[in-house]
């Protein structure tokens, strides 16, 4: 067997090899991110209520909508770039929704100095559950007699008038408010996301909900049936003593959540 004698490598050769090896070890890092990259700018942001529909003409699509709603809870940092925000809420905890008047001068003069009516609902985000919403809610009512899915924290709320919670609509609350005055409504969500998942072996992933707000103005008969605006944002709800969820809830930057017109 012949042995080949290798000469000592120079410092330049050794350094060049190390650099190549290091560059190769870095290749591929970040390739899995791309469109799935997390948007860290959302860590400090509040969720923006996205528009659900619009009655505006096509040429007015960029028109600023008359109302904004801000859910005062930090969004999850694990949000893919360009994806809708997701906010984790604690079961039964009161969260503020700020009702803001975004009208320009002279816009919608018919509601100036008058009340509008807003209806807040907790609905399913997944289309599969939307089709069976009635059955899902009835099942929840059967398992949790006397409880509500959505409730108002009236002592904490500011500027709301005639708050109501229909005993037959467990996921809905409503109230009147004056857009020209400071208005904040505090809500409590009592259902949790894992109550609507298929039971398997434990550790099931909770389903997302939507908090939806629809706002109406008064018609000639004094009834609040003329639709003005609607919007919603995505949330998940968990037990207070459930799995630890790290989110910067102590640092909030208020951003507008625009409901749909």
């Amino acid at each position: 067997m012949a042995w080949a004698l290798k000469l000592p490598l120079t410092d330049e050769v050794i350094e060049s090899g190390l650099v190549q090896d290091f560059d190769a070890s870095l290749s591929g890092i970040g390739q899995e991110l791309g469109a799935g990259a997390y948007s860290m700018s959302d860590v400090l942001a509040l969720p923006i209520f996205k528009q659900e529909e619009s009655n505006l003409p096509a040429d007015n699509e960029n028109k600023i909508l008359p109302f904004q709603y801000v859910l005062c809870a930090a969004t999850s940092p694990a949000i893919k770039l360009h994806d809708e925000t997701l906010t984790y809420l604690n079961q039964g905890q009161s969260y503020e929704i700020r009702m803001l008047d975004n009208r320009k001068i002279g816009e919608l003069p018919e509601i100036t100095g008058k009340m509008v009516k807003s209806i807040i609902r907790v609905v399913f985000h997944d289309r599969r559950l939307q089709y069976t919403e009635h059955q899902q809610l009835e099942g929840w009512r059967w398992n949790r007699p006397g409880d509500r899915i959505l409730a108002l924290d009236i002592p904490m709320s500011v500027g709301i008038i005639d708050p109501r919670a229909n005993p037959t609509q467990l996921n809905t609350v409503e109230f009147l408010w004056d857009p020209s005055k400071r208005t904040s409504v505090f809500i409590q969500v009592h259902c949790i996301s894992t109550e609507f998942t298929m039971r398997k072996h434990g550790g099931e992933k909770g389903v997302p909900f939507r908090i939806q707000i629809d706002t109406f103005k008064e018609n000639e008969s004094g009834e609040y049936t003329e639709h003005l605006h609607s919007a919603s944002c995505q949330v998940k709800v968990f037990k207070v003593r459930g799995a630890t969820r790290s989110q910067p809830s102590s640092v909030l930057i208020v951003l507008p959540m625009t409901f749909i017109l």
Side-chain angles (χ1 to χ4, degrees):
M1 177 182 294
W3 294 84
L5 178 64
K6 293 185 178 180
L7 298 176
L9 299 177
T10 65
D11 292 342
E12 291 77 3
V13 174
I14 294 174
E15 181 178 355
S16 175
L18 291 175
V19 170
Q20 291 177 2
D21 291 342
F22 181 71
D23 288 342
S25 67
L26 292 181
S27 64
I29 292 182
Q31 290 181 2
E32 295 183 357
L33 296 179
Y38 292 125
S39 174
M40 296 308 293
S41 63
D42 285 335
V43 173
L44 302 181
L46 298 184
I48 297 178
F49 283 83
K50 59 182 293 192
Q51 299 182 27
E52 304 293 334
E53 60 186 35
S54 179
N55 293 328
L56 295 174
D59 57 350
N60 286 335
E61 288 181 352
N62 296 325
K63 181 179 179 181
I64 297 177
L65 300 175
F67 302 117
Q68 292 177 327
Y69 312 96
V70 180
L71 175 61
C72 295
T75 59
S76 167
I79 301 297
K80 293 181 179 179
L81 196 62
H82 307 306
D83 276 7
E84 181 184 358
T85 58
L86 173 63
T87 299
Y88 292 104
L89 304 181
N90 288 324
Q91 179 187 26
Q93 182 173 328
S94 295
Y95 290 92
E96 179 187 9
I97 298 179
R98 297 178 185 174
M99 315 290 288
L100 306 176
D101 184 1
N102 197 38
R103 292 176 299 156
K104 296 179 179 180
I105 297 177
E107 186 178 5
L108 289 177
E110 64 272 20
I111 66 172
T112 301
K114 295 184 178 180
M115 299 287 180
V116 294
K117 179 180 181 178
S118 287
I119 300 175
I120 303 180
R121 295 182 177 90
V122 172
V123 296
F124 292 112
H125 174 76
D126 294 341
R127 189 173 297 276
R128 174 180 59 84
L129 292 173
Q130 291 174 8
Y131 288 134
T132 60
E133 180 175 292
H134 178 73
Q135 293 89 333
Q136 297 287 342
L137 298 184
E138 284 300 313
W140 191 90
R141 185 202 303 269
W142 178 264
N143 293 322
R144 301 273 296 273
D147 290 347
R148 289 191 60 83
I149 289 178
L150 179 65
L152 287 174
D153 188 343
I154 297 177
M156 291 286 292
S157 300
V158 177
I160 67 172
I161 299 173
D162 194 22
R164 298 183 182 184
N166 191 320
T168 64
Q169 297 177 334
L170 303 183
N171 63 327
T172 301
V173 295
E174 60 183 57
F175 54 90
L176 303 178
W177 59 289
D178 185 343
S180 65
K181 298 180 180 179
R182 178 196 168 193
T183 303
S184 288
V185 57
F186 282 75
I187 63 168
Q188 300 169 341
V189 183
H190 293 285
C191 63
I192 59 176
S193 291
T194 53
E195 289 182 283
F196 300 96
T197 56
M198 297 294 293
R199 299 300 177 188
K200 295 181 181 178
H201 306 290
E204 289 84 8
K205 185 178 180 181
V207 302
F209 302 123
R210 301 199 71 82
I211 297 178
Q212 177 176 320
I213 302 180
D214 303 294
T215 299
F216 303 85
K217 67 178 179 179
E218 199 174 12
N219 62 17
E220 297 178 354
S221 303
E223 299 175 342
Y224 291 91
T225 57
E226 294 193 24
H227 179 258
L228 282 174
H229 192 235
S230 297
S232 67
C233 67
Q234 185 180 195
V235 300
K236 283 189 176 182
V237 185
F238 295 93
K239 291 182 178 179
V240 176
R241 300 194 177 200
T244 301
R245 297 178 302 280
S246 57
Q247 63 181 44
S249 56
S250 60
V251 183
L252 300 179
I253 298 177
V254 178
L255 297 179
M257 306 173 173
T258 305
F259 277 67
I260 68 173
L261 181 61

